Amino acid sequence: MEKSAKIRLIYSIFLGVFTVAVGLAIICVAADIYYSGKDTGVIYSRAIVGEKLTALAIPLIFLIAAIILGAVFPLYKVKTARTPESTLSKLQMRIPQSGEGMEFTAAKNAFKKAAIIRLVAWLVALSVALAGAIATLCYLVNTAQFSGKDITSEIFKLVKNILPWLCVAFAATIGATVTSGIFANKQIAAAKTMIKNGDKSTVAQKSVFKVIWIIKSVIAKVISHPAFIWSVRGCVFTLAVVFIILGIINGGANDVLVKAINICTECIGLG
């Protein structure tokens, strides 16, 4: 293992342990707030919560700094494995348009058959997902299902009607992905046979596959470029800061605090 990889591994372990420790500390402080004020009748107030959480200010600051450091210097540099689909897209540019012999003909037929099966698999998955989306939307837009008289039963009914569709769509997508990968490998084998036994002079250098592959390569390079990544991070960070500031200005922070207090003292019965 190279030195940089060891450093990233050690840092990731440290960050994970530190995050768990801070989380446990927050739980302990929350328990202390509850049990120390249980007998007095005043558990949650801005002064009490602020005083107790002040002790966690330094660990929280270090945790935020560690997360920011990990964002600036990514902990993991993952090298994506080449998928059968990407390999197939490159081979398709080299497939001859014609060839002689039984091997070329058989490989060509196998290539087309595998392509049709992959297309059908994704069409089936798309149809299942679309049917699930339509059924879910029809249920959600039916306001008669949500009268508000018995919220618990309405939630269970909602889960009962929507969750099966989600599971079926998820299973169909997994099935299409697995099927596509299996038959993409079969297309790769057939493409190699066609390249080996075909007429090299009939290779379509300006085929649609080459254009698609070039477009994918350009998009992949743009997305993976550090400037693009940092610009996206900067936009997300700026947007988050803007919304936080707007929330503070319009009193949203105080509303959240009041709602949190009400949830703790009324909904789940603390105090």
Side-chain angles (χ1 to χ4, degrees), residues 57-105:
I58 295 178
L60 285 173
I61 292 173
F62 275 108
L63 178 60
I64 295 173
I67 294 174
I68 295 174
L69 182 63
V72 176
F73 303 100
L75 301 182
Y76 300 100
K77 291 184 178 179
V78 181
K79 184 179 180 181
T80 57
R82 180 177 295 179
T83 62
E85 288 78 6
S86 62
T87 302
L88 180 61
S89 64
K90 292 182 179 181
L91 288 176
Q92 283 176 323
M93 297 184 298
R94 299 167 50 196
I95 296 177
Q97 299 299 306
S98 62
E100 297 180 357
M102 296 293 294
E103 291 187 15
F104 182 86
T105 303

Side-chain angles (χ1 to χ4, degrees), residues 141-157:
V141 297
N142 185 6
T143 56
Q145 304 285 350
F146 310 100
S147 61
K149 297 179 180 179
D150 189 352
I151 297 178
T152 303
S153 62
E154 289 176 3
I155 291 175
F156 279 111
K157 191 176 180 181

Side-chain angles (χ1 to χ4, degrees), residues 209-271:
F209 301 114
K210 185 173 182 179
V211 175
I212 294 174
W213 179 78
I214 292 174
I215 294 174
K216 287 182 177 179
S217 300
V218 172
I219 294 175
K221 288 181 179 179
V222 171
I223 293 176
S224 61
H225 196 277
F228 177 82
I229 296 174
W230 278 107
S231 62
V232 173
R233 290 176 178 175
C235 291
V236 172
F237 179 78
T238 303
L239 188 63
V241 172
V242 169
F243 278 116
I244 291 173
I245 294 174
L246 291 176
I248 295 174
I249 292 174
N250 66 9
N254 185 65
D255 293 339
V256 171
L257 177 62
V258 172
K259 291 178 181 179
I261 294 172
N262 291 335
I263 288 175
C264 293
T265 57
E266 298 175 5
C267 181
I268 59 179
L270 293 180

Side-chain angles (χ1 to χ4, degrees), residues 118-238:
R118 289 179 62 204
L119 178 62
V120 170
W122 282 113
L123 287 176
V124 170
L126 180 61
S127 301
V128 171
L130 184 61
I134 293 174
T136 301
L137 185 62
C138 291
Y139 181 84
L140 293 176
V141 297
N142 185 6
T143 56
Q145 304 285 350
F146 310 100
S147 61
K149 297 179 180 179
D150 189 352
I151 297 178
T152 303
S153 62
E154 289 176 3
I155 291 175
F156 279 111
K157 191 176 180 181
L158 174 68
V159 173
K160 182 180 178 181
N161 283 273
I162 293 179
L163 186 60
W165 282 110
L166 294 176
C167 294
V168 171
F170 187 67
T173 303
I174 293 177
T177 303
V178 174
T179 303
S180 178
I182 293 173
F183 283 92
N185 286 323
K186 292 187 177 183
Q187 281 188 283
I188 291 173
K192 290 180 179 179
T193 303
M194 294 168 66
I195 294 171
K196 180 180 179 181
N197 297 281
D199 186 359
K200 303 296 189 298
S201 62
T202 61
V203 176
Q205 294 293 339
K206 296 183 179 180
S207 63
V208 66
F209 301 114
K210 185 173 182 179
V211 175
I212 294 174
W213 179 78
I214 292 174
I215 294 174
K216 287 182 177 179
S217 300
V218 172
I219 294 175
K221 288 181 179 179
V222 171
I223 293 176
S224 61
H225 196 277
F228 177 82
I229 296 174
W230 278 107
S231 62
V232 173
R233 290 176 178 175
C235 291
V236 172
F237 179 78
T238 303

